[in-house]
């Protein structure tokens, strides 16, 4: 791979029923001319099969570390792949917090994703307390060490940097801080993985149409992982367009 993938990724979380796929249709139609980016929607597993073949890349929101077994209510990477996904988010802070997932759990899920041919979007991010204590880079370096397994490459892995305090709050770090943190993440990846410096690193946390342009202007930001603003095409399409424009794609 030569250039890093530029990805506008939506994370619908626990939102969306069949009727909401009308939004996906609008997003897909707007994605068609955007040559410079990957448009990706990480959807509830119940929607994946119905969303496939409609013109956007699809991802799951989590997977189990095992390929199959007695795990009621869980979903395997292979099931996601079978339903049409090419990507899966692992280690989102809501999973780390609500389900007590550790870095070791996240690394196991990333490996399960690769085993099924999925690209793992591995999430890392500091809490507000860690941010206030000035420990962001230290915390992220430890999360990378623990959550990004040996064998990670720019082809099978995308990193999403999501400050926990920025998710769903309307708060974001200053653009200069986002660039500085992404550069630090890239440097850590480069020391730990042969091609680590070439991995795509997405920013996530309150990306909106009105701040997307300035966030995506940072050279080490390769796109966004977008929650709330990915649910409606009216919000997500301008974000996709801002990414495409920032990275020099055709409109
Ligand atoms: C997310 O779900 O990963 C996220 C960043 O959410 P929001 O964009 O709503 O802050």
């Amino acid at each position: 791979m030569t250039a890093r993938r530029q990805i506008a990724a939506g994370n619908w979380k626990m939102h969306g029923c069949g009727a909401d796929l009308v939004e996906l249709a609008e997003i897909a139609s707007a994605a068609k001319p955007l040559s410079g980016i990957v448009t990706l929607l990480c959807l509830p597993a119940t929607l994946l099969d119905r969303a496939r073949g409609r013109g956007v890349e699809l991802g799951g929101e989590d997977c189990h570390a095992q390929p199959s077994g007695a795990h009621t209510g869980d979903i395997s990477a292979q099931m996601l792949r079978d339903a049409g996904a090419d990507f899966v988010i692992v280690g989102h802070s809501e999973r780390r917090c609500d389900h007590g997932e550790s870095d070791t759990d996240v690394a196991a899920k990333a490996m399960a994703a690769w085993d099924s041919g999925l690209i793992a979007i591995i999430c890392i991010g500091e809490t507000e307390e860690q941010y206030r204590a000035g420990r962001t880079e230290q915390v992220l370096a430890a999360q990378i060490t623990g959550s990004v397994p040996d064998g990670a490459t720019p082809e099978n892995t995308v990193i999403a940097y999501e400050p926990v305090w920025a998710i769903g709050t309307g708060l974001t770090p200053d653009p200069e801080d986002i660039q500085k943190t992404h550069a630090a993440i890239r440097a850590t990846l480069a020391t730990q993985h042969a091609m680590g410096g070439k991995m795509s690193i997405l920013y996530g946390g309150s990306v909106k149409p009105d701040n997307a342009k300035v966030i995506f202007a940072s050279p080490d930001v390769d796109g966004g992982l977008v929650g709330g603003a990915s649910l409606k095409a009216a919000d997500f399409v301008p974000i996709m367009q801002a990414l495409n424009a920032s990275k020099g794609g055709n409109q």
Side-chain angles (χ1 to χ4, degrees):
M1 182 193 295
T2 47
R4 303 194 302 261
R5 288 188 199 93
Q6 303 296 318
I7 306 174
N11 171 18
W12 279 19
K13 312 191 187 197
M14 199 171 72
H15 298 289
C17 291
D20 298 297
L21 291 174
V22 66
E23 300 295 332
L24 181 145
E26 265 189 62
I27 289 167
S29 142
K32 232 181 259 172
L34 305 181
S35 61
I37 66 166
V38 174
T39 300
L40 164 67
L41 289 179
C42 297
L43 298 177
T46 48
L47 288 180
L48 285 173
D49 194 41
R50 279 179 280 177
R52 73 200 302 173
R54 294 197 186 203
V56 297
E57 298 282 329
L58 296 176
E61 299 178 7
D62 176 53
C63 66
H64 199 279
Q66 297 298 321
S68 62
H71 303 291
T72 304
D74 280 316
I75 191 152
S76 72
Q78 190 186 359
M79 291 168 180
L80 295 172
R81 183 97 176 117
D82 183 56
D86 285 308
F87 293 76
V88 63
I89 297 170
V90 294
H92 191 282
S93 64
E94 287 155 13
R95 299 286 317 176
R96 290 179 186 260
C97 177
D98 296 355
H99 300 268
E101 293 183 4
S102 66
D103 286 335
T104 307
D105 297 329
V106 175
K109 288 176 180 223
M111 287 190 282
W114 300 342
D115 286 346
S116 292
L118 296 177
I119 297 169
I121 302 175
I122 303 177
C123 299
I124 56 174
E126 82 284 2
T127 63
E128 183 174 7
E129 191 187 354
Q130 291 162 338
Y131 171 73
R132 287 190 187 282
R135 296 181 54 229
T136 297
E137 290 184 15
Q138 186 189 337
V139 167
L140 297 177
Q143 287 180 337
I144 290 168
T145 303
S147 306
V148 183
D150 289 346
T153 69
E155 285 76 25
N156 67 19
T157 300
V158 171
I159 303 298
Y161 165 55
E162 301 204 300
V164 178
W165 54 271
I167 295 178
T169 60
L171 303 171
T172 57
D174 293 336
E176 300 73 33
D177 287 342
I178 293 177
Q179 167 54 27
K180 184 170 161 279
T181 305
H182 276 237
I185 292 168
R186 193 173 300 292
T188 302
L189 289 167
T191 62
Q192 297 191 5
H193 300 276
M195 297 295 287
K198 303 263 183 233
M199 285 180 200
S200 296
I201 306 173
L202 313 185
Y203 169 78
S206 297
V207 177
K208 306 286 177 203
D210 62 0
N211 63 16
K213 186 176 171 199
V214 69
I215 291 172
F216 296 150
S218 294
D220 283 297
V221 173
D222 301 313
L225 181 55
V226 183
S230 70
L231 295 171
K232 296 285 175 206
D235 293 324
F236 195 50
V237 168
I239 293 172
M240 294 153 48
Q241 290 169 336
L243 179 63
N244 190 63
S246 297
K247 307 302 173 183
N250 298 330
Q251 297 276 357

